[in-house]
Amino acid sequence: MLEKLTNAFTDVFRTISGKSSISEKNIEDAVEQIKMALLEADVNLRVVRRFVNGAIEEAKGEKVLRAVDPGQQFVKIIYDRIVAMLGDTKQDLKLKGPDTQSVILMLGLQGAGKTTASHKLAARLKKEGRRPLLAACDLVRPAAVEQLCVLGQKIDVPVYKEDGAKDSVKVAQNAIDYAKKNGLDTVILDTAGRLQIDQSMMAELVQIKKTTSPDEVLLVADAMTGQNAVDIAKSFDEQLGLSGVVLTKFDSDARGGAALSLKSITGKPILFIGTGEKTEDFEVFHPERIASRILGMGDVVSLVEKAQEKVDMEEAAAMQKKMARNEFTLDDMLAQFQQVKKMGNMQSLVEMIPGAAAALQGRDLDTSGMKRQEAIIQSMTKKERANHLIIGPSRRKRIAKGSGTSVAEVNKLLKQFEKTKLTMKKVSRNKGLQAQMMSQMMGGGMGGMPGMGGAGGLGGMDLNALAKKFGGGMGGFKF
C-alpha cells in the first residue's frame, strides 16, 4: 500500500541524509520533490499547498539549518506534518456503555464495501466484549440482505431482517426494538447505497438518522477512488453530519490520495481501514503508524500486535523450549509457515519491517517460494520431518515428485532448514530485550519465520540482506 509515496519519500530522504549540512536551496528542492509526489498520489491541491508551505517555513528555521544532524531533523518535520495531515491521533468510536444501547449508521455508495465493512466492525466489537446486531436495511441492492445474513452467520452475530420489507426506516427502528428485547447492546445499520449520490437516497438516510438517533454515523469510502472519496465524504457530511470514515481497499491503494486528504478537507477522522478480504483484515487507523509506513520507517508496533493476536502463546513457549534444546524439526518449520500465514498478507507484513519497503523498491513480494517449501515438507513422512538426517537421495526424489518440485529444491530446503535451526538456537539464547520480545511474539523469533535467518522463504528473498540495510535489524537484533 502507498508504494509510490514511500518510494518518493525514500529518494528525497536519501538525498538529504547524504549531506553534512542543509541549505535553503536543498530544502526547497526536497520539498518540491515531495510536492510532486503528493500531487501524483492524488492528494488534494489545497492540502498539498498547506503541507508544503508549513514544511518549508519550519525546515528553514535556524534549528534545522544548524542542527547536529539536519537530515534527521528534516525527516522529523515531514513525519510530523504527515501525522497532522492524517489526523494527529487515533480516534475511537464513541459508544455508550454495555448496559445502554448504541446505534451505528453505516453509509456509502454501492461498491464501496459497506456490507463487508459492517460485518468486520461487528466482529471487532464482539471481540471487544460487546453484543452486536447487524440490521439489513439495504432493500435496494439485490441479495444485499442475503449477503449480510451469510456474513453474520460466519462471525456468529445475529442479523435482523424482514422478508418482503419495503420501508428501510421501519426496518431500522424494528431492529433497534429487537435488540433491546434480546439484550444486544450495539446495532449496526447496513443501509442502501447508489452508484452515485442522489436525492432519494439522501432523503431515506436522513429519515433513518432522524428515527434512530445513531451514536456514530460512519461513511464507508473506497480508497481506490482517490479524490472522489473526499468529494463523496463532503457531500454525505453536509447532509448527514458524519462522525468518521471507514476507508476500504486500503491494501490496494498504491497512491494514498484519499487517506492523506480526508481529514484535512472534511475534518472527519478515519477510524478504520480495510486491508483485505478476510474478516480480520480490518484495522484501527493510527495516523502516526501510517505516517511511518509512508516514510519507509516500518510499523513494528502493528507487527507485534498482529503477532500477539494470531500467535498462540502456549505454542510459542513450547517452541522456545524446543529451540533452547536444539529440537527444532521440519514439523516445527511447517508450523512456522502456518503461523505467519495466520498473520495476514505477507507483503503487508514485510512492509511493517523498518526499511523493507525501500529495499523492495516497489516490487511485489513473491511468496511462491514459501508455498513450494510448504509443499515439500508436507510430502515428507512423519519420521522424515522428525529427523531430516534420514532423508537420503531416494527419499529426496520421492519428496520432489510428491510436492511437484525438483530434487535441487528439496536439497535447498534441507540446507536452509539446518541454517534456520542454528539461527533459532542463537536467538533463543539472546538476552536482548527486543530479541526476547520478538521470539515470544512470533513463536520462536524472527529467525524462526520462514525466510528469516537465511531460510529462504518469502519467495526465496534473503532477509538477512535486508536486515543489513536496516542497520542490523530491529534495534540491533540480527535476523
Side-chain angles (χ1 to χ4, degrees):
M1 63 187 83
L2 310 173
E3 293 93 347
K4 290 183 180 178
L5 264 180
T6 300
N7 293 336
F9 276 111
T10 300
D11 290 341
V12 172
F13 294 155
R14 187 180 293 120
T15 302
I16 287 288
S17 299
K19 300 182 183 298
S20 57
S21 62
I22 297 179
S23 65
E24 291 192 6
K25 179 69 167 61
N26 296 148
I27 290 171
E28 288 172 1
D29 290 344
V31 171
E32 182 63 24
Q33 283 182 260
I34 291 171
K35 174 184 173 182
M36 295 308 299
L38 292 172
L39 289 174
E40 287 175 9
D42 201 22
V43 179
N44 183 274
L45 180 59
R46 188 151 40 109
V47 175
V48 174
R49 284 175 179 163
R50 197 180 306 158
F51 178 92
V52 166
N53 292 338
I56 289 176
E57 184 180 343
E58 194 170 346
K60 283 186 177 180
E62 275 188 46
K63 184 178 177 183
V64 173
L65 295 176
R66 296 186 181 182
V68 175
D69 191 333
Q72 289 185 2
Q73 284 280 76
F74 182 74
V75 172
K76 178 68 165 60
I77 288 169
I78 299 301
Y79 169 80
D80 289 342
R81 288 275 161 188
I82 291 179
V83 171
M85 195 192 303
L86 291 169
D88 287 319
T89 57
K90 171 181 76 80
Q91 300 289 318
D92 296 317
L93 289 173
K94 294 177 175 61
L95 302 179
K96 300 185 182 79
D99 297 329
T100 311
Q101 191 178 72
S102 298
V103 177
I104 301 173
L105 179 59
M106 304 291 280
L107 315 170
L109 298 184
Q110 273 188 22
K114 189 164 50 327
T115 300
T116 302
S118 296
H119 109 272
K120 288 181 177 181
L121 178 58
R124 173 172 282 274
L125 293 175
K126 180 183 177 184
K127 195 171 183 181
E128 292 173 358
R130 299 189 75 91
R131 300 180 302 282
L133 171 72
L134 287 162
C137 302
D138 183 353
L139 309 180
V140 175
R141 181 169 62 88
V145 174
E146 183 181 344
Q147 181 191 1
L148 192 66
C149 289
V150 170
L151 292 173
Q153 187 175 20
K154 180 181 175 183
I155 59 174
D156 197 24
V157 167
V159 176
Y160 180 84
K161 65 170 185 173
E162 293 183 10
D163 295 329
K166 295 187 178 179
D167 186 346
S168 59
V169 179
K170 186 175 288 187
V171 171
Q173 185 56 61
N174 290 344
I176 291 172
D177 294 339
Y178 174 87
K180 286 179 181 175
K181 292 176 184 176
N182 290 274
L184 303 169
D185 59 29
T186 310
V187 181
I188 300 173
L189 304 174
D190 178 32
T191 61
R194 303 289 193 281
L195 293 175
Q196 59 186 18
I197 294 171
D198 63 38
Q199 205 48 49
S200 63
M201 173 187 70
M202 284 298 186
E204 179 182 281
L205 295 174
V206 167
Q207 194 58 43
I208 290 176
K209 182 183 177 185
K210 185 177 179 182
T211 303
T212 60
S213 301
D215 300 271
E216 291 281 356
V217 181
L218 304 183
L219 173 72
V220 180
D222 183 347
M224 295 291 288
T225 60
Q227 281 305 297
N228 283 341
V230 180
D231 296 335
I232 291 165
K234 283 174 65 179
S235 299
F236 273 94
D237 186 43
E238 286 167 3
Q239 298 197 50
L240 290 150
L242 300 177
S243 59
V245 177
V246 176
L247 208 52
T248 61
K249 304 178 190 175
F250 193 75
D251 56 316
S252 302
D253 183 18
R255 297 197 297 172
L260 287 164
S261 303
L262 267 166
K263 181 65 168 67
S264 298
I265 297 300
T266 67
K268 306 303 175 184
I270 300 172
L271 300 180
F272 300 98
I273 50 176
T275 57
E277 297 296 325
K278 297 178 182 176
T279 300
E280 59 270 21
D281 295 334
F282 192 70
E283 299 178 13
V284 173
F285 187 79
H286 293 265
E288 69 284 359
R289 299 186 193 179
I290 299 300
S292 288
R293 292 191 209 181
I294 289 173
L295 299 184
M297 299 173 184
D299 184 1
V300 177
V301 177
S302 292
L303 183 62
V304 172
E305 285 180 353
K306 277 182 176 289
Q308 284 178 317
E309 188 177 331
K310 299 297 179 184
V311 173
D312 186 306
M313 289 304 164
E314 288 185 10
E315 283 184 27
M319 183 73 72
Q320 193 81 351
K321 290 177 182 177
K322 293 187 79 172
M323 285 163 51
R325 295 194 300 263
N326 197 27
E327 295 176 358
F328 186 70
T329 68
L330 284 160
D331 259 328
D332 297 321
M333 190 175 184
L334 181 62
Q336 291 281 289
F337 277 104
Q338 291 162 350
Q339 289 278 26
V340 173
K341 284 165 68 177
K342 282 182 188 177
M343 289 174 62
N345 182 277
M346 190 61 62
Q347 179 87 16
S348 298
L349 289 179
V350 172
E351 288 173 1
M352 289 181 187
I353 300 171
L360 286 171
Q361 297 179 334
R363 300 190 309 271
D364 286 338
L365 193 65
D366 179 12
T367 58
S368 58
M370 179 187 289
K371 292 174 183 175
R372 287 195 298 272
Q373 290 175 332
E374 193 172 359
I376 289 170
I377 298 173
Q378 288 173 333
S379 295
M380 297 176 184
T381 65
K382 287 185 178 180
K383 285 185 179 180
E384 289 167 344
R385 293 184 204 176
N387 181 11
H388 70 288
L389 297 176
I390 68 172
I391 305 176
S394 60
R395 289 176 185 262
R396 296 184 188 210
K397 284 182 182 178
R398 191 204 77 243
I399 292 166
K401 188 175 181 180
S403 59
T405 59
S406 65
V407 173
E409 286 179 291
V410 175
N411 292 339
K412 184 179 177 183
L413 172 69
L414 292 173
K415 286 179 183 177
Q416 291 165 348
F417 168 71
E418 289 174 350
K419 287 182 183 178
T420 301
K421 191 173 180 179
L422 181 61
T423 301
M424 294 184 74
K425 186 178 180 181
K426 290 178 181 177
V427 170
S428 71
R429 293 174 178 176
N430 191 310
K431 301 301 180 183
L433 178 62
Q434 284 192 315
Q436 286 183 341
M437 176 186 73
M438 293 305 294
S439 181
Q440 290 165 2
M441 298 304 179
M442 303 300 292
M446 292 296 280
M449 287 177 67
M452 301 292 188
L458 303 178
M461 178 173 285
D462 182 3
L463 292 192
N464 261 332
L466 291 184
K468 290 176 184 175
K469 293 191 179 185
F470 313 151
M474 296 179 202
F477 168 45
K478 306 278 185 185
F479 293 114

